[in-house]
């Protein structure tokens, strides 16, 4: 009988949700949903010194923001709890006692200073530093003597010698390790807290996890975990180790400031969660074909773990912006404003409290740039020309303004603008038509001088709408200022 599909994402509350961890969560989520399985979130909080306030809440908050839901966790309960490791200490303790009684684990009384001295001596002899196992054969009398000295033991598991540990990795194929490269490792620290490679095995087994899909950096942990599975006589789950995410040259490091790496930062910048979901899934997984834009429902339907890549995934910031732009172009105006408006306020472009007139103008301004926006915060740069007192002209703009008949076009446009009683985009379109009739200029010889004169840019969104939003006063003052600078006009 096939085991039910049960997978887990097990974050530590030592930091906020990172791109790499989000990828692990998303792949596990898609695998579970595509197989009608269960997706579990377990909090691995035994590294107490590194846990940060709010870390747990932040992880769950941004998983939800991405659009991930789960079947069992600290906030939902379930038949396999508790789902927080620090609430499972009694479980670990009982199982550790079983291993000690069977002689499969032992107490180690070595101090950190003694272990460090041992490592240094091994290095001096040209040997690979490894625990010698000197506490492996202590008698009960030896242990009692050391405890009278005030020593507290850690617990180490006995690693069998001359054994090959193999497993069939979903991504990598067959992987093997020699047990002689693994020394007797600590499974319970001196403070009674289990180590990662010990607790994770117990939790995965008792929670009946069928598949463990995780990052490639965990593959070195797998042989140690197989040692623990073997000691208990338990069947390991299927393992799949996803390739690392790189910046194009090396493994993505949290210290790499060229790439934004935490999910909350993308929310703050005004990215769309469904676009981030789409982008992250494609980091090391291929749907096949040329299509790259998918809804969550589509990804669940087509997901196949066999398509997890064997080569490192490159984090391409430009591709992320492109994907997000595809989504931005399709959202409704209310959502677009919600993503963009806070950035205009934060930049000091708008007051915190808007009048109805200001809000209507801002909505039109944001809508004007929807096609070009890659994320919400980009609205500040895109709309800069609407908040400038004076225009500056770069070399390309100056070249346009120095063209033949430009002065005639600008003078004619100013006259037509001055005539306008209202200032809608349609009114401005009619004024430009009148300039065309008056000057005989058309195409780029008509539109480019007007655009540069009013906006300072050679490219931009719909020109009549842009000028309408600038307003009649600003438009005329810019035209007048340019005409006074006759030196750049022929």
């Amino acid at each position: 009988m096939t085991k039910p599909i049960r997978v887990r994402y097990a974050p530590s509350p030592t930091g906020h949700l990172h791109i790499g961890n989000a990828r692990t969560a998303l792949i596990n989520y898609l695998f579970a949903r595509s197989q009608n399985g269960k997706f579990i979130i377990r909090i691995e909080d035994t590294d107490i010194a590194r846990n940060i306030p709010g870390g747990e809440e932040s992880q769950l908050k941004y998983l939800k923001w991405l659009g991930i839901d789960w079947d069992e966790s600290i906030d939902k309960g379930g038949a396999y709890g508790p789902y927080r490791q620090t609430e499972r200490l009694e479980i670990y303790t009982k199982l550790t006692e079983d291993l000690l009684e069977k002689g499969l684990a032992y107490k180690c009384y070595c101090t950190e200073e003694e272990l460090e001295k041992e490592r240094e001596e091994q290095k001096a002899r040209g040997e690979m530093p490894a625990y010698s196992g000197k506490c492996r054969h202590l008698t009960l009398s030896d242990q009692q003597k050391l405890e009278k000295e005030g020593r507290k033991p850690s617990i180490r598991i006995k690693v069998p010698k001359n054994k090959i540990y193999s497993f069939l990795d979903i991504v990598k194929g067959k992987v093997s390790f020699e047990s002689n490269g693994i020394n007797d490792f600590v499974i319970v620290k001196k403070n009674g807290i289990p180590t990662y490679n010990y607790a994770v095995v117990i939790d995965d087994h008792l929670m009946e996890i069928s598949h463990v899909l995780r990052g490639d950096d965990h593959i070195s942990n797998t042989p140690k975990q197989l040692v623990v599975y073997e000691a208990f006589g338990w069947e390991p789950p299927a393992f799949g180790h996803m390739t690392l995410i790189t910046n194009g040259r090396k493994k993505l490091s949290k210290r790499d400031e060229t790439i934004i790496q935490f999910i909350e930062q993308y929310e703050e910048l005004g990215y769309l969660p469904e676009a981030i979901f789409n982008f992250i899934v494609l980091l090391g997984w291929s749907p096949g074909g040329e299509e790259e834009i998918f809804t969550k429902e589509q990804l669940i339907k087509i997901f196949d773990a066999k398509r997890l890549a064997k080569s490192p995934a490159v984090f391409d910031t430009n591709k992320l912006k492109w994907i997000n732009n595809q989504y931005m172009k399709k959202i409704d105006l209310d959502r677009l404003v919600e993503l963009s408006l806070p950035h205009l306020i934060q930049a000091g472009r708008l007051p915190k409290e808007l009048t109805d007139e200001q809000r209507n103008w801002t909505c039109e301004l944001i809508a004007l740039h929807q096609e070009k926006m890659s994320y919400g915060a980009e609205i500040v740069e895109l709309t800069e020309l609407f908040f400038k007192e004076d225009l500056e002209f770069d070399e390309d703009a100056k070249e346009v303004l120095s063209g033949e008949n430009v002065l005639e076009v600008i003078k004619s446009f100013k006259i037509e603008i001055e005539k306008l009683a209202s200032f809608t985009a349609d009114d401005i379109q009619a004024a430009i038509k009148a300039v065309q009739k008056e000057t005989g200029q058309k195409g780029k010889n008509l539109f480019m001088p007007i655009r540069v004169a009013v906006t300072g840019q050679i490219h931009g969104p719909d020109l009549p709408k842009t000028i309408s939003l600038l307003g009649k006063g600003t438009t005329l003052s810019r035209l007048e200022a340019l005409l006074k600078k006759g030196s750049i006009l022929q």
Side-chain angles (χ1 to χ4, degrees):
M1 183 177 175
T2 305
K3 289 173 65 176
I5 300 294
R6 289 178 56 83
V7 297
R8 48 75 172 175
Y9 168 61
S12 298
T14 56
H16 302 292
L17 186 59
H18 180 262
I19 286 288
N21 293 334
R23 195 264 302 261
T24 298
L26 284 172
I27 294 299
N28 277 280
Y29 170 77
L30 290 176
F31 182 75
R33 294 290 176 258
S34 68
Q35 301 287 323
N36 294 314
K38 299 294 185 182
F39 177 57
I40 295 96
I41 292 183
R42 181 175 71 228
I43 303 298
E44 297 187 344
D45 61 343
T46 55
D47 194 351
I48 297 167
R50 293 182 59 227
N51 293 344
I52 64 168
E56 190 177 283
E57 293 80 1
S58 177
Q59 288 276 341
L60 298 182
K61 174 183 175 181
Y62 285 100
L63 289 172
K64 288 176 183 175
W65 181 79
L66 282 171
I68 296 176
D69 60 281
W70 45 89
D71 302 291
E72 302 167 27
S73 189
I74 57 172
D75 60 339
K76 282 197 170 183
Y80 298 85
Y83 293 92
R84 189 182 284 112
Q85 282 188 333
T86 51
E87 296 173 2
R88 298 173 63 82
L89 296 180
E90 286 185 17
I91 297 171
Y92 309 133
T93 299
K94 182 181 182 305
L95 288 166
T96 303
E97 289 170 355
D98 290 345
L99 291 182
L100 288 169
E101 286 176 12
K102 293 174 181 175
L104 297 171
Y106 60 92
K107 295 179 180 180
C108 173
Y109 293 86
C110 296
T111 65
E112 188 51 50
E113 292 74 21
E114 288 170 341
L115 292 171
E116 179 61 30
K117 182 182 177 184
E118 184 175 82
R119 287 192 288 266
E120 291 301 322
E121 289 172 350
Q122 289 168 335
K123 287 180 187 177
R125 294 194 298 268
E127 300 171 2
M128 182 70 70
Y131 178 63
S132 63
K134 65 181 182 180
C135 290
R136 204 179 212 219
H137 305 292
L138 291 177
T139 64
L140 181 59
S141 175
D142 293 332
Q143 291 178 356
Q144 290 173 342
K145 182 180 178 182
L146 289 166
E147 288 180 11
K148 282 181 180 178
E149 293 176 10
R151 295 198 185 206
K152 288 188 176 180
S154 59
I155 310 296
R156 290 182 183 269
I157 195 165
K158 289 182 179 178
V159 179
K161 300 299 178 186
N162 305 314
K163 184 178 177 67
I164 301 294
Y165 285 95
S166 298
F167 63 98
L168 189 62
D169 192 280
I170 293 169
V171 179
K172 297 176 175 298
K174 188 175 181 180
V175 181
S176 298
F177 295 89
E178 293 184 1
S179 67
N180 292 348
I182 315 166
N183 56 75
D184 294 351
F185 57 94
V186 174
I187 57 173
V188 181
K189 292 176 276 190
K190 294 182 187 295
N191 62 2
I193 301 293
T195 58
Y196 167 76
N197 281 315
Y198 184 54
V200 74
V201 169
I202 293 171
D203 293 340
D204 284 347
H205 174 74
L206 296 181
M207 292 182 182
E208 298 186 13
I209 300 301
S210 63
H211 295 74
V212 172
L213 303 173
R214 56 191 180 188
D216 197 44
D217 50 338
H218 277 285
I219 199 160
S220 59
N221 289 322
T222 311
K224 290 184 176 180
Q225 292 169 15
L226 290 175
V227 169
V228 178
Y229 276 108
E230 182 180 65
F232 284 117
W234 296 337
E235 180 186 351
F239 291 101
H241 291 88
M242 294 174 279
T243 57
L244 297 176
I245 301 172
T246 74
N247 64 5
R249 300 181 305 278
K250 58 184 180 179
K251 176 187 172 184
L252 200 61
S253 163
K254 291 179 182 178
R255 294 184 292 277
D256 183 354
E257 295 183 358
T258 63
I259 291 175
I260 298 168
Q261 299 192 38
F262 293 95
I263 301 303
E264 65 182 288
Q265 293 174 292
Y266 287 102
E267 182 197 32
E268 290 165 1
L269 284 169
Y271 277 81
L272 291 164
E274 56 268 41
I276 298 291
F277 186 112
N278 190 155
F279 172 75
I280 293 175
V281 170
L282 299 180
L283 290 172
W285 179 79
S286 169
E290 299 297 319
E291 183 59 52
E292 294 186 294
I293 305 299
F294 299 95
T295 64
K296 179 171 71 173
E297 291 70 28
Q298 288 172 327
L299 286 166
I300 289 170
K301 187 175 181 179
I302 67 174
F303 183 81
D304 183 351
K306 292 177 183 176
R307 300 196 66 86
L308 287 166
K310 292 178 170 58
S311 302
V314 178
F315 190 103
D316 185 338
T317 300
N318 290 328
K319 183 175 180 180
L320 170 58
K321 289 180 180 178
W322 176 81
I323 287 177
N324 206 70
N325 172 254
Q326 302 308 300
Y327 282 84
M328 292 285 276
K329 288 190 285 192
K330 295 177 181 177
I331 61 174
D332 62 43
L333 182 57
D334 286 344
R335 193 171 180 204
L336 186 68
V337 170
E338 183 184 342
L339 289 169
S340 310
L341 178 57
H343 298 284
L344 289 170
I345 294 171
Q346 188 177 355
R349 301 279 171 83
L350 295 169
K352 290 182 179 179
E353 299 294 330
L354 300 179
T355 64
D356 289 344
E357 184 180 356
Q358 286 173 323
R359 175 166 283 277
N360 290 337
W361 179 84
T362 302
C363 288
E364 289 186 47
L365 179 68
I366 292 170
L368 180 65
H369 293 87
Q370 181 165 6
E371 285 292 310
K372 289 288 184 183
M373 284 176 66
S374 296
Y375 53 95
E378 208 171 33
I379 194 67
V380 176
E381 181 182 350
L382 290 171
T383 60
E384 187 177 7
L385 72 92
F386 290 88
F387 301 95
K388 279 185 172 181
E389 288 292 326
D390 300 304
L391 292 181
E392 296 176 3
F393 303 100
D394 62 17
E395 291 305 312
D396 290 336
K398 287 177 181 178
E399 185 178 346
V400 170
L401 294 175
S402 65
E404 193 175 353
N405 300 316
V406 166
L407 181 58
E408 181 187 8
V409 168
I410 291 173
K411 283 182 176 179
S412 175
F413 184 62
K414 179 174 177 291
I415 291 168
E416 293 299 327
I417 290 297
E418 287 172 331
K419 294 177 184 177
L420 295 178
S422 63
F423 210 67
T424 67
D426 288 341
D427 295 327
I428 293 156
Q429 182 65 48
I432 294 173
K433 283 282 188 184
V435 173
Q436 179 182 347
K437 186 175 180 181
E438 171 73 21
T439 64
Q441 301 300 314
K442 57 185 179 180
K444 68 176 185 178
N445 291 332
L446 173 66
F447 290 99
M448 287 284 276
I450 293 174
R451 182 180 292 281
V452 172
V454 178
T455 70
Q457 300 174 353
I458 62 173
H459 302 293
D462 183 87
L463 184 57
K465 288 182 181 177
T466 298
I467 295 172
S468 173
L469 288 169
L470 277 169
K472 186 172 181 178
T474 298
T475 301
L476 284 172
S477 67
R478 288 183 177 181
L479 292 171
E480 288 165 1
L482 179 61
L483 289 169
K484 286 179 183 177
K485 294 178 183 176
S487 57
I488 44 175
L489 296 168
Q490 284 193 343

